[in-house]
């Protein structure tokens, strides 16, 4: 039985690194201090696991964010968080975002600190898809379709990619998934 990449990587994290994202069976991101990431990269490379280290400005979804979490929660409590108008998959849980989650500042603090479950979200979409294409959309940015559950029109990917817009940085995880982030703000 094939083991998902994040299950191979998890025992190697120790007490300094965190599993930041699970983006698909072969794609996960680890976050933490530079020296610990360099050690993990060397271990993964020695074990024959395709991994790369790419600079990122913040150790998102890791314990390194803990000093700012209380301030982030206080900031969110000053906003009027609203229920979504359309169904949304939570990257935090990999299931449908509830109205209670969407309006709870603690949920968003947990989202910033804990592992993003993108692969679980794609699986949730596929579970109710009935063979039709499902697309991802990030506001004014169009994403490619998520693969059909029946495997037709597959393009050798287990998750959706999108094209980079001018002015965006590309952040990369240690084990090779790319996420776009606007250079003027934070986005998953």
């Amino acid at each position: 039985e094939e083991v998902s990449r994040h299950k191979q990587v998890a025992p190697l994290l120790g007490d300094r690194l965190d599993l930041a994202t699970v983006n698909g069976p072969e794609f996960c991101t680890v976050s933490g201090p530079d020296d610990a990431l360099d050690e993990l990269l060397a271990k993964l490379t020695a074990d024959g696991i395709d991994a790369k280290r790419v600079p990122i400005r913040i150790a998102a979804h890791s314990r390194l964010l803990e000093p700012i979490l209380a301030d982030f929660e206080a900031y969110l409590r000053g906003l009027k968080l609203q229920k979504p108008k359309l169904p949304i998959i939570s990257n935090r849980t990999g299931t449908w975002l509830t109205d209670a989650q969407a309006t709870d500042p603690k949920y968003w603090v947990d989202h910033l600190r804990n592992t993003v479950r993108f692969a679980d979200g794609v699986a949730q979409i596929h579970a109710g898809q009935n063979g039709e294409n499902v697309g991802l959309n990030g506001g004014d940015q169009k994403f490619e379709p998520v693969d059909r559950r029946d495997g037709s029109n597959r393009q050798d990917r287990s998750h959706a990619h999108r094209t980079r817009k001018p002015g965006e940085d590309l952040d990369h995880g240690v084990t090779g998934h790319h996420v776009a982030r606007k250079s003027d703000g934070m986005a998953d």
Side-chain angles (χ1 to χ4, degrees):
E1 178 179 311
E2 189 173 316
V3 177
S4 293
R5 183 71 69 218
H6 73 280
K7 290 181 181 176
Q8 290 177 314
V9 171
L12 306 175
L13 298 181
D15 61 357
R16 298 184 63 213
L17 296 172
D18 292 288
L19 184 62
T21 66
V22 178
N23 294 313
E26 292 292 318
F27 297 96
C28 65
T29 306
V30 171
S31 190
D34 288 334
D35 63 324
L37 289 171
D38 290 338
E39 289 173 21
L40 177 63
L41 176 61
K43 171 74 172 140
L44 294 173
T45 301
D47 290 348
I49 297 174
D50 184 24
K52 59 179 134 182
R53 176 74 199 282
V54 180
I56 184 171
R57 295 179 291 184
I58 188 169
H61 309 290
S62 81
R63 69 193 79 209
L64 294 179
L65 291 179
E66 290 186 13
I68 65 130
L69 295 179
D71 289 342
F72 183 56
E73 184 173 355
Y75 170 76
L76 291 172
R77 291 199 182 281
L79 300 176
K80 183 180 181 202
L81 299 175
Q82 299 180 23
K83 299 173 186 177
K85 294 178 183 176
L86 297 172
I88 297 173
I89 293 286
S90 163
N91 270 341
R92 172 69 189 108
T93 65
T95 60
W96 296 104
L97 182 71
T98 67
D99 291 347
Q101 290 168 328
T103 57
D104 180 3
K106 183 70 173 128
Y107 166 84
W108 296 107
V109 170
D110 290 345
H111 185 285
L112 181 63
R113 167 57 182 92
N114 294 299
T115 304
V116 169
R117 302 278 175 201
F118 184 79
D120 292 341
V122 171
Q124 180 73 37
I125 291 169
H126 282 185
Q129 190 175 347
N130 297 324
E132 69 272 5
N133 279 328
V134 174
L136 301 178
N137 180 299
D140 64 342
Q141 302 173 30
K142 301 299 182 202
F143 288 74
E144 294 180 21
V146 175
D147 295 329
R148 287 180 163 205
R149 185 173 53 162
D150 65 4
S152 62
N153 295 329
R154 289 191 67 90
Q155 297 177 7
D156 284 330
R157 65 180 189 269
S158 60
H159 54 285
H161 290 279
R162 74 169 179 81
T163 56
R164 185 173 160 247
K165 293 180 75 174
E168 289 182 327
D169 295 330
L170 287 179
D171 293 338
H172 304 255
V174 167
T175 54
H177 175 71
H178 309 276
V179 276
R181 183 174 67 195
K182 290 187 178 185
S183 48
D184 62 349
M186 180 179 51
D188 273 328

